[in-house]
Amino acid sequence: ATLTCLGRDLMGWRMRGLHPVPVALNLSSRQFRRESQRTLFLEHLRALDLGPDVVEFELTESSVFEDLDSPSSILPRLQALGYRLALDDFGTGYSSLAYLRRLKCRKLKIDRIFVDGVARSEDAAMLIESIVRVAHAMDMKVVGEGVERVSDQVRLLRLGCDLFQGYGLARPLPFN
């Protein structure tokens, strides 16, 4: 249902002459336990014209690292097709540097528990700066999640974050 809704929304935007930025969809390894599920998912992406230019997939650390070693993982298939992967909620799960290197995500999203109040916390700033350096060394963009205060956004920018997400920037918006 989510893919169908997204396909319909993107078609509507295109008909209005808009060229949307990629939409992020959460992906769980539990969705793809059987080959038939993986095949059907990839067929839906194709049928709805949801290519790598309009969709990127977000994965949580725990679901990614569970699935990464599985020979049936859908992640290498998605990457081979050109889809971008983003590691969501970084810092709350396994946070393995070895897995980060193997996964080759294009984006790393630092969880809000580190971001909230970073303007006032030297410990949080030190952690975020370290995460940013590692991510940038691996050619990943870094997103600060849960930004609600301008002071935190300013500090994140100084620490090297590339992008920001949170209610301090905008609340979720409807399609129209």
Side-chain angles (χ1 to χ4, degrees):
T2 302
L3 286 180
T4 303
C5 292
L6 177 58
R8 185 181 59 240
D9 290 350
L10 288 172
M11 187 184 317
W13 290 333
R14 288 175 181 144
M15 288 173 63
R16 292 180 181 175
L18 301 173
H19 302 284
V21 296
V23 175
L25 293 177
N26 292 325
L27 200 60
S28 168
S29 61
R30 292 181 185 95
Q31 294 173 278
F32 306 107
R33 295 285 185 217
R34 294 190 309 269
E35 179 60 31
S36 60
Q37 294 168 312
R38 293 184 291 276
T39 301
L40 186 60
F41 180 74
L42 294 172
E43 286 173 5
H44 281 327
L45 287 175
R46 243 185 326 276
L48 295 168
D49 197 24
L50 298 176
D53 57 323
V54 294
V55 176
E56 81 176 19
F57 294 103
E58 292 188 358
L59 314 132
T60 61
E61 286 180 76
S62 55
S63 71
V64 155
F65 299 150
E66 263 174 34
D67 192 48
L68 191 57
D69 290 323
S70 168
S72 61
S73 175
I74 196 164
L75 301 180
R77 287 187 192 176
L78 291 172
Q79 287 178 311
L81 292 169
Y83 287 97
R84 292 173 297 278
L85 302 179
L87 189 56
D88 198 14
D89 300 332
F90 186 79
T92 61
Y94 300 109
S95 301
S96 166
L97 295 178
Y99 279 122
L100 265 184
R101 196 171 124 226
R102 286 179 50 212
L103 186 59
K104 296 182 180 11
C105 280
R106 294 194 186 164
K107 194 180 288 179
L108 185 143
K109 299 176 78 175
I110 300 173
D111 191 79
R112 68 180 305 118
I113 64 169
F114 300 106
V115 169
D116 187 36
V118 69
R120 301 179 315 273
S121 171
E122 289 307 312
D123 288 345
M126 181 182 64
L127 282 171
I128 289 173
E129 184 177 31
S130 298
I131 292 167
V132 166
R133 285 184 181 183
V134 167
H136 284 168
M138 300 173 114
D139 293 322
M140 290 184 230
K141 295 284 185 193
V142 180
V143 181
E145 290 186 306
V147 175
E148 296 187 5
R149 288 181 287 285
V150 172
S151 58
D152 287 341
Q153 183 179 356
V154 168
R155 184 75 185 265
L156 289 168
L157 189 59
R158 283 192 207 129
L159 295 170
C161 275
D162 303 295
L163 303 163
F164 310 96
Q165 173 182 327
Y167 287 159
L169 303 165
R171 298 235 179 234
L173 301 170
F175 161 70
N176 303 350

